[in-house]
Amino acid sequence: MIRWDDVIGGTVYLKYPDNLEIPENVIQQIQISHNFSESYIITEEKDWNSVSFYNSDKEMVIVLVLDRYDEGNDYLIVLEEFNKELNKYDDEKRLKEQLERIFQFSLNVFRTRDEVIAKLSNEVAQLKMKVYDLEKKFETVIESNHLKVKSKIMFLLAINEELSLNEIQTQVNTSKQWLETVLDTLIKNKIVEYDHEHERYFLNF
């Protein structure tokens, strides 16, 4: 927390953890930026990232120091909780206890969030690898000479959302006439559909 001193300007009134270091130029910059008016400010510098709020009743700036890549907007709700506690307590010891409690709680919440995001990212990456492997397997099957034209077309449309006649023809070794005949049969059997406007084929499922 920063409060104004008529002689030296902005000064740290209370901080947690105790070993937290705030550069003097940052203290003054944050204090001046708020200009004694209630406002939220996100400060992003080369070696500094924080979100702050000026409490006009207490004439103090609450500063939440963030990691380099944290998004300040994500932490506004935590800052609001700090501000509520500031309005409740005048005793410095009680206030620090409450700030520590909220700090630890928010730390656990965001740590859990980051763990969930990391887990989901890992699962997405694994799914992408599985999709890639399946696509490669499909391509191997398509490139073999053991499939009928009908099967090759269905494999191609299974790994591609839609394809034009030319795109199919470049990957299926047959005459254009026979390819169109097979495609017409697949359309009649409602296995494949054709978008006349965009001239694209796609699987009907």
Side-chain angles (χ1 to χ4, degrees):
M1 289 184 180
I2 299 172
R3 67 179 175 185
W4 179 256
D5 183 280
D6 291 334
V7 177
I8 61 176
T11 179
V12 175
Y13 164 69
L14 189 67
K15 64 179 180 178
Y16 181 84
D18 293 328
N19 61 354
L20 177 65
E21 294 185 4
I22 307 177
E24 182 62 29
N25 64 310
V26 172
I27 295 173
Q28 303 308 326
Q29 178 185 341
I30 292 173
Q31 178 71 60
I32 293 170
S33 297
H34 281 284
N35 196 27
F36 302 100
S37 61
E38 291 201 348
S39 55
Y40 290 98
I41 292 179
I42 296 173
T43 306
E44 294 179 340
E45 302 291 344
K46 182 180 179 182
D47 298 313
W48 182 264
N49 186 18
S50 68
V51 58
S52 55
F53 177 77
Y54 180 75
N55 184 311
S56 58
D57 292 333
K58 300 291 184 177
E59 297 184 339
M60 286 191 194
V61 179
I62 308 167
V63 183
L64 188 59
V65 182
L66 308 176
D67 287 335
R68 181 176 180 181
Y69 298 107
D70 284 337
E71 291 289 338
N73 287 324
D74 292 343
Y75 292 84
L76 292 181
I77 188 171
V78 179
L79 203 60
E80 289 173 3
E81 291 302 315
F82 281 139
N83 188 49
K84 290 177 184 177
E85 296 303 316
L86 179 59
N87 289 325
K88 287 180 184 178
Y89 301 100
D90 291 320
D91 179 75
E92 183 177 324
K93 183 179 179 181
R94 290 288 305 278
L95 179 59
K96 189 169 184 178
E97 288 174 353
Q98 295 305 312
L99 294 182
E100 180 179 350
R101 177 184 62 80
I102 296 174
F103 176 85
Q104 292 298 339
F105 175 75
S106 60
L107 193 66
N108 291 334
V109 168
F110 284 103
R111 184 182 292 122
T112 301
R113 181 202 66 174
D114 291 342
E115 288 173 355
V116 170
I117 291 174
K119 182 180 179 182
L120 288 174
S121 298
N122 186 48
E123 290 176 353
V124 169
Q126 290 178 353
L127 285 173
K128 286 183 177 179
M129 284 300 299
K130 288 181 180 179
V131 170
Y132 176 79
D133 290 341
L134 284 173
E135 288 178 348
K136 287 299 179 184
K137 289 176 181 178
F138 275 134
E139 288 175 4
T140 300
V141 173
I142 292 169
E143 290 171 0
S144 71
N145 294 319
H146 305 291
L147 286 179
K148 294 181 179 180
V149 172
K150 183 189 297 184
S151 298
K152 283 192 175 184
I153 292 172
M154 288 190 291
F155 267 112
L156 281 171
L157 293 176
I159 61 175
N160 297 278
E161 288 189 10
E162 54 183 33
L163 291 171
S164 67
L165 179 62
N166 287 338
E167 288 170 334
I168 296 173
Q169 192 172 11
T170 57
Q171 299 183 68
V172 178
N173 186 22
T174 188
S175 67
K176 183 178 180 181
Q177 182 179 358
W178 178 242
L179 182 60
E180 289 177 332
T181 300
V182 174
L183 283 167
D184 287 341
T185 301
L186 289 170
I187 291 172
K188 288 177 183 177
N189 292 331
K190 297 183 178 181
I191 297 172
V192 171
E193 289 194 22
Y194 181 65
D195 182 345
H196 291 274
E197 182 180 354
H198 300 98
E199 299 182 341
R200 313 284 289 182
Y201 293 91
F202 56 93
L203 282 179
N204 178 23
F205 66 92

